[in-house]
């Protein structure tokens, strides 16, 4: 039987697709390689085998497709590629990553980008509209990718998708802003249980009712839309462009794609598959080029001949491996062969005893095949297929699976492969063929010879994989543990198979096989363990034998590459135990052995160890107040949402490039500390297309710095970190510039490097700048209070660590600079602080500030990372722009951006805490250290805020906190959402949790006892005024029903030995203002025009937080007009000078108040005009403005605001550093797998104090997005540098540079139930419109997740008889969770019974 996955002889389908013409020359066929893009025919350029689809599309001006990472890990570049499947006689649609897809791989296909769906002017596509109206777009950089992933799912499905299919379709897309919930909610309207009109003709053609922007009654997603009349015209099939004559347009699937029965025009509105491509005959391709030649054979003989002629040729299907090697490892492959169109390699065949997969079969096809066969053949025959299917669910994202081939995955021979262990365990064989020697077969277990090396000879090709089907009593199981569950490479992966003979109700191992990845330099089997178990009964003694023998098969040294030695070895043994339990359960369930579980020495509490992870679709609720009678308080959609969902929103790298623009690439240090002996750019300058190299000698003033002057534009004598800029190369293209930058030869004398906080403390290496550093606060009599507590034995002390965090804004750093005719510079960049750019460029070039104009329209995320570290990059670009008088573009690749621009500071806190018998905290003595890196940057101010927030939300009568900024040879760390507050607060929660455990009380009880009361004073002297802290806490714990759920969690833990639940509640008190008092100022310009519209320019930057939308609402409310009448112009230093950075959560307060001031000036001028016009005419703002104009009244005003009453000096006195506090509380519940460390976030309830919200929809988005980003910091994201704890990484080098190694949360990581309440009836008298800031405070609510995890870990430790008063560092990664749980399996590798709880190594 040939299965329908690829080639099915029995496949038949009645639809409107027509059989293709027979193979052979199609009369008049153009021999040129072609593709269609959004319906337009393009002849492919010659000699571009190395070019990606993304580069080609952006070259066409289709900038909606974004470059986010370049390695297929973020989904910002997602497009849909459609091709005609001749064997099936139908068009196939798939989402792909354009950043990896080779241009030539798209020959003969139709590429749809986000621009091909809809536009703001012409009307939004329903997918675009759903996302915009659900508030699912904040910064918008990732938005087109989400739109295209969803669109491709709908086009590829024969029926409406399920909610889980929607979530899985988005698995390859990352968002750093929204927290994913609104994206899922928006797209849920297309699920099976949603109204049919969600994706119907009415919504697609909403503009047919005369509503161009899709906002009229024809655009609603609730079924209210309608079209007048009916038509009997034959509908058009959206996939083929042909008339549909046999009813397919009336099927549910077609209706889901828009072919409504009463709207035959609907399908025309969908991008149709070009009929030419359906008729076009497939031919071999040979496309030569200067860098590489592209071959596409169409026969197996042709493929083998090519491999013989070019033994070193790389075979490429999805380019997911080769593309990364070329871009990031600078590999050169002059001959590329695409075997994707060889029929023998795309077949899927089912024989009586095996499944045979052609090597070019995609992983998506393999997944679908496994699902189909499992349903058709039943569980007995398909245990291996089920395991493969389950493993593929967590393998990369759909965009990667859609193009990656089975054979490519095998031949990559990755030591952490997900599938290769299963091929080994299942006994698969690989069919190999060469032109001269013919075919041969190799067992999977014998195929992998070394690190990324196989048994393939240079002229051989892997043609097929034969996978045996299972028999009765034969079980296969897959295992994988990674940092993140979805779309992540494995830490350890495994496949296991056991076949049993059952005699007298006793199962005996007839055959058993293991395959492991992540345990060696290659995928390995475990022959000793297998041999030891064959013939043994499936009993506890056999399990013990397996666990004792496995380490002999899987030896591992402590300094193994990848680290985590104890964890990886524990995982391997834990997986074996899980398999043991699974087999027992299945033997009993299949009726082969009665009471198999009990006979194996297990009980019901053990059974959950074998459960597979299955996650339902997330749900939740948002509770807000909407104000009546004003534009302020309305849940207005983000003003840029519609251009973001259509891809029309322009970011810094999207704008039309100036004529003559050149591209730049930095030359970066490769050592962490060294003296520069020589810089030789000769080879770079000799490269064709290179125009120049610039270094320190070309900078008029080479010394810069955002706070103190301790940095250089380009290193002149010493480099102090890996990634320290040494110079910059300028060339015709970015590729040439990057290649040339690698040719600049720099010789160093390497010097000793300090790489972490411990080394800095030991070397007394600190940044010391009087007035900036070494601050502290003391309040009360700490020594006396501590002595009293110590005498009573009520002390906790220790140290705590929290790692750094990468900003991972989706838009990388971009700078575009050009020089005018009078030595004036204009720059467009992705920055939160245009004024800093202006100041530093002016200083470096020694030109006045009035000659430098810095502009920013919008950012694709910032989070503090684009405040100061973007500035030095802009200065680097300004140097060649000034000298050459040419426009210069500097765009960082993701891995360079991450490696050189710094992150959130890692912190070490050493604390001593005294408390009363009731748990009241009486004294805190704490010393804080942060890893500042090689320059001070903002580290001192970040430390100051950590000191301010070291009390958490708790009143402590006696406090002493000091801080020091450690000087290390890492790239300078910088601002990140919370700005030191999160580190100070998490340390407070760490010692608070320990106090609760010492007292044997629930932590939430002790936290509640210590919460600030109204009127109490903080350790720095500020009084709690209008405090909503307890209101937030009380409502959060009540909504979460924490008492009954804690009891339920305790009950769950009793009956589940290997899964434990934990719950925690944590509060937030966060001060709002810049702690540098002079920065609390803002200006704005408001212009009223004669048509009644208003233009506002202010100093704040829109980076997704909705600042411009809120400012427009405030302006509209003040002037009495609609929000749509207000437009916010780009941020520019020639409009509003000396603006503070958009940071500290204060921008809505500052710029909203400045705009209010300007509007009130205008209103005062307009008052006499309105009085003269009368009440009725005054309602028309256009008429008011016209009358004022003729009365020669100024319709423009400059508004100004300074935050009042701020008083603070670091001189030991008390004061008021903050305008007010934001408050909040969160309750989270998790479930952990104590054997693997996997964490599942079950539910989170948040109550956030936003005052009277200016825009509840935007504020909820900030709460959710901040929380999920914070969850990443405390539970998922981990930076790893080469340091004394990570010797397997090159010293000072960032290992986790890119989405392949650094994991931010996906949609699969958010709470299963996510409830957010904005506290009602809580106006704030100290900010504009009685509102409160919302950007940073919600980040800290994620502490509830960390302490829920710790609560579950302590439940596991208690079950294992271990101490629960432990120190657990952040983030709570699977390694920390698993090893902290302890237990007999991990005790083999780390004896938790005779030592403190395991503390994993942390870059700190």
């Amino acid at each position: 039987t040939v299965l329908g996955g690829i080639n099915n002889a029995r496949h038949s389908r009645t639809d409107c697709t027509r059989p293709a013409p027979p193979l052979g020359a199609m009369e008049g066929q153009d021999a040129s390689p072609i593709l269609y893009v959004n319906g337009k025919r393009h002849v492919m350029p010659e000699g571009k085998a190395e070019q990606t689809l993304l580069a080609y599309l952006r070259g066409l001006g289709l900038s909606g497709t974004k470059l986010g990472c370049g390695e297929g890990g973020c989904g910002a570049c997602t497009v849909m590629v459609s091709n005609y499947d001749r064997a099936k006689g139908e068009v196939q649609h798939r989402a792909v990553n354009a950043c990896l897809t080779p241009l030539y791989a798209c020959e003969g296909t139709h590429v749809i980008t986000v621009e091909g769906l809809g536009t703001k002017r012409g009307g939004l596509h329903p997918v675009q509209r759903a996302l915009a109206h659900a508030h699912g777009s904040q910064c918008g950089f990732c938005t087109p990718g989400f739109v295209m992933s969803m669109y491709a799912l709908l086009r590829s499905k024969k029926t409406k998708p399920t909610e889980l299919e929607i979530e899985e379709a988005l698995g390859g897309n990352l968002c750093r802003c929204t927290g994913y919930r609104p994206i899922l909610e928006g797209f849920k309207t297309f699920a099976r249980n949603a109204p049919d009109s969600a994706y119907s003709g009415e919504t697609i053609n909403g503009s047919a009712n005369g509503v161009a922007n899709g906002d009229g009654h024809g655009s609603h997603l609730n079924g209210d839309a309608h079209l007048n009349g009916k038509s009997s015209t034959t509908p058009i099939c959206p996939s083929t462009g042909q008339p549909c004559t046999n009813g397919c347009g009336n099927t549910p699937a077609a209706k889901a794609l828009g072919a409504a029965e009463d709207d035959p025009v609907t399908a025309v509105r969908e991008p149709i598959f070009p009929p030419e491509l359906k008729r076009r005959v497939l031919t071999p391709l040979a496309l030569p080029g200067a860098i590489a030649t592209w071959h596409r054979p169409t026969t197996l003989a042709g493929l083998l001949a090519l491999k013989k002629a070019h033994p070193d040729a790389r075979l490429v299907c999805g380019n997911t491996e080769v593309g990364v090697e070329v871009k990031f490892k600078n590999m050169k492959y002059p001959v590329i062969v695409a075997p994707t169109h060889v029929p023998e390699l795309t077949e899927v065949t089912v024989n009586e005893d095996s499944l045979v997969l052609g090597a070019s079969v995609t992983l998506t096809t393999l997944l679908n095949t496994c699902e189909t066969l499992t349903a058709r053949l039943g569980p007995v025959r398909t245990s291996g297929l089920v395991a493969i299917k389950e493993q593929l669910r967590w393998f990369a994202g759909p965009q990667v699976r859609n193009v990656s081939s089975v054979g490519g995955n095998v031949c990559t021979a990755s030591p952490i492969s997900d599938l290769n262990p299963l091929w080994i365990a299942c006994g698969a064989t690989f069919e190999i063929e060469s032109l001269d020697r013919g075919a041969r077969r190799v067992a999977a277990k014998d195929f992998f010879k070394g690190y990324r090396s196989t048994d393939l000879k240079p002229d051989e090709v892997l043609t097929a994989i034969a996978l045996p089907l299972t028999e009765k009593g034969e079980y296969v199981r897959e295992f994988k543990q990674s940092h993140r569950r979805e779309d992540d490479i494995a830490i350890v992966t495994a496949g296991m198979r056991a076949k049993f003979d059952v005699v007298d109700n006793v199962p005996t191992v007839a055959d058993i096989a293991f395959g492991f990845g992540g345990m060696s330099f290659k995928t390995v089997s475990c022959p000793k363990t297998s041999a030891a178990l064959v013939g043994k009964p499936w009993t506890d003694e056999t399990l013990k034998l397996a666990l004792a023998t496995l380490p002999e098969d899987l030896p591992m040294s402590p300094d193994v590459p990848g680290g985590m030695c104890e964890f990886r070895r524990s995982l391997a043994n834990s997986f074996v135990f899980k398999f043991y339990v699974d087999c027992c359960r299945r033997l009993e369930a299949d009726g082969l052995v009665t009471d198999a579980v009990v006979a194996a020495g297990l009980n019901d509490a053990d059974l959950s160890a074998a459960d597979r992870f299955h996650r339902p679709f997330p749900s939740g609720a948002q509770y807000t107040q909407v104000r009546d009678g004003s534009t302020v308080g309305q849940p207005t959609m983000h003003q840029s949402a519609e251009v973001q969902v259509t891809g029309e929103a322009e970011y810094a790298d999207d704008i039309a490039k100036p004529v003559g623009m050149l591209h730049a690439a930095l030359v970066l240090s490769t050592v962490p500390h060294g003296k520069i002996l020589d810089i030789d750019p000769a080879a770079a300058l000799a490269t064709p297309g290179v125009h120049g190299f610039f270094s320190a000698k070309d900078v008029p003033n080479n010394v810069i710095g955002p706070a103190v002057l301790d940095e250089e534009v380009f290193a002149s004598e010493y480099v102090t970190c890996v990634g320290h800029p040494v110079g910059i190369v300028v060339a015709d293209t970015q590729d040439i510039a990057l290649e040339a930058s690698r040719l600049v030869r720099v010789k160093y004398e390497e010097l000793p490097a300090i790489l972490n906080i411990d080394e800095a403390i030991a070397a007394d290496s600190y940044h010391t700048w009087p007035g900036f550093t070494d601050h502290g606060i003391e309040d009360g009599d700490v020594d006396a209070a501590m002595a009293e507590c110590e005498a009573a034995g009520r002390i906790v002390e220790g140290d705590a660590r929290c790692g750094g965090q990468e900003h991972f804004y989706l838009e990388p750093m971009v700078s575009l600079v050009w020089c005018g005719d009078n030595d004036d510079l204009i720059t467009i960049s992705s920055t939160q602080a245009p004024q800093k750019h202006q100041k530093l460029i002016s200083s470096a070039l020694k030109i006045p500030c009035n000659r430098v104009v810095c502009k920013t329209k919008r950012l694709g995320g910032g989070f503090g990372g684009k405040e100061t570290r973007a500035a030095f990059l802009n200065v680097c670009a300004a140097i060649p722009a000034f000298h050459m008088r040419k426009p210069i573009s500097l765009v960082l690749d993701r891995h360079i951006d991450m490696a050189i621009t710094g992150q959130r500071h890692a912190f070490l806190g050493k604390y001593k805490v005294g408390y009363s018998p009731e748990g009241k905290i009486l004294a805190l003595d704490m010393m804080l250290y942060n890893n500042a890196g090689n320059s001070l940057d903002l580290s001192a101010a970040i430390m100051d805020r950590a000191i301010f927030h070291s009390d958490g939300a708790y009143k402590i009568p006696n406090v002493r906190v000091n801080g020091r900024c450690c000087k290390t040879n890492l790239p300078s760390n910088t601002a990140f959402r919370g700005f030191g507050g999160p580190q100070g607060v998490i340390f407070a929660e760490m010692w608070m949790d320990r106090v609760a455990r010492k007292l044997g009380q629930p932590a939430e009880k002790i936290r509640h006892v210590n919460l600030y009361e109204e009127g109490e004073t903080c350790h720095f002297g500020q009084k709690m005024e209008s405090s909503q802290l307890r209101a937030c806490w009380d409502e959060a714990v009540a909504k979460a029903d924490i008492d009954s759920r804690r009891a339920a969690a305790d009950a769950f833990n009793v009956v589940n030995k290997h899964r434990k639940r934990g719950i925690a509640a944590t509060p937030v008190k966060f001060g709002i203002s810049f702690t540098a008092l002079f920065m609390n100022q803002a200006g704005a310009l408001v212009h009223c025009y004669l048509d009644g519209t208003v233009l506002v320019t202010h100093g704040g930057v829109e980076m997704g937080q909705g600042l411009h939308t809120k400012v427009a609402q405030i302006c509209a409310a003040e002037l009495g007009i609609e929000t749509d009448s207000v437009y916010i112009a780009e941020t520019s230093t020639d409009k509003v000078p000396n603006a503070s950075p958009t940071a500290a959560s204060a921008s809505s307060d500052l710029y909203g108040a400045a705009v209010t001031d300007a509007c009130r000036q205008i209103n005062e001028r307009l008052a006499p005009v309105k009085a003269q016009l009368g009440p009725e005419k005054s309602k028309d703002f256009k008429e008011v403005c016209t009358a004022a104009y003729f009365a020669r009244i100024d319709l423009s005003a400059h508004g100004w605001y300074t935050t009042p009453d701020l008083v603070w000096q670091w001189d030991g006195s008390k004061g008021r550093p903050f305008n007010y506090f934001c408050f909040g509380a969160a309750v989270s519940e998790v479930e952990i797998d104590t054997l693997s460390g996997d964490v599942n976030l079950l539910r989170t309830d948040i109550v956030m104090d936003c005052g009277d919200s200016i825009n509840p929809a935007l504020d909820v988005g900030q709460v959710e997005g901040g929380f999920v980003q914070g969850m990443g910091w405390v539970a998922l994201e981990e930076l790893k540098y080469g340091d004394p704890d990570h010797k397997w990484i090159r010293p000072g080098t960032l290992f986790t540079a890119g989405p392949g190694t650094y994991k931010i949360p996906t949609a699969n990581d958010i709470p299963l139930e996510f409830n957010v309440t904005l506290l009602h009836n809580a106006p704030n008298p100290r900010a504009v419109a009685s509102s409160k800031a919302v950007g940073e405070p919600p980040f800290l609510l994620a502490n509830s997740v960390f302490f829920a995890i710790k609560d579950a870990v302590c439940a596991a430790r208690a079950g294992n008889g271990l101490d629960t008063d432990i120190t657990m560092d952040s983030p709570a990664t699977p390694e920390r969770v698993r090893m902290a749980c302890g237990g007999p399996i991990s005790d083999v590798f780390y004896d938790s019974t005779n030592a403190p709880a395991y503390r994993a190594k942390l870059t700190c």
Side-chain angles (χ1 to χ4, degrees), residues 1266-1286:
F1267 172 84
V1268 171
Q1269 192 176 68
M1271 181 193 71
W1273 178 57
V1274 301
L1276 189 63
E1277 302 173 40
E1278 184 169 15
L1279 294 165
K1280 292 185 179 180
Y1281 278 94
D1283 59 27
D1285 283 335
H1286 302 89

Side-chain angles (χ1 to χ4, degrees), residues 15-20 84 89-90 240 242-243 245 278:
D15 61 14
C16 63
T17 57
R18 298 174 177 177
Y84 182 67
E90 65 181 13
T240 66
Q242 305 296 318
T245 58
K278 186 183 170 190

Side-chain angles (χ1 to χ4, degrees), residues 477 479 574-575 577-585 597 602-614 1051-1061 1231-1238:
R477 186 64 193 269
F479 299 99
S574 294
F575 289 164
F577 175 76
K578 284 172 172 280
F579 184 59
Y580 176 76
V581 176
D582 189 52
C583 288
C584 292
R585 200 163 59 173
V597 171
L602 304 172
N603 56 46
D604 289 344
D606 289 304
L607 296 183
S608 61
D611 289 346
R612 285 187 171 101
F613 176 82
H614 288 286
F1052 176 91
N1053 293 340
V1054 169
V1055 297
N1056 287 275
K1057 184 177 179 181
H1058 307 291
R1059 291 185 181 273
K1060 299 294 182 182
R1061 290 184 177 175
E1231 181 177 315
I1232 67 169
D1233 183 331
T1234 67
L1235 296 172
S1236 68
D1238 196 52

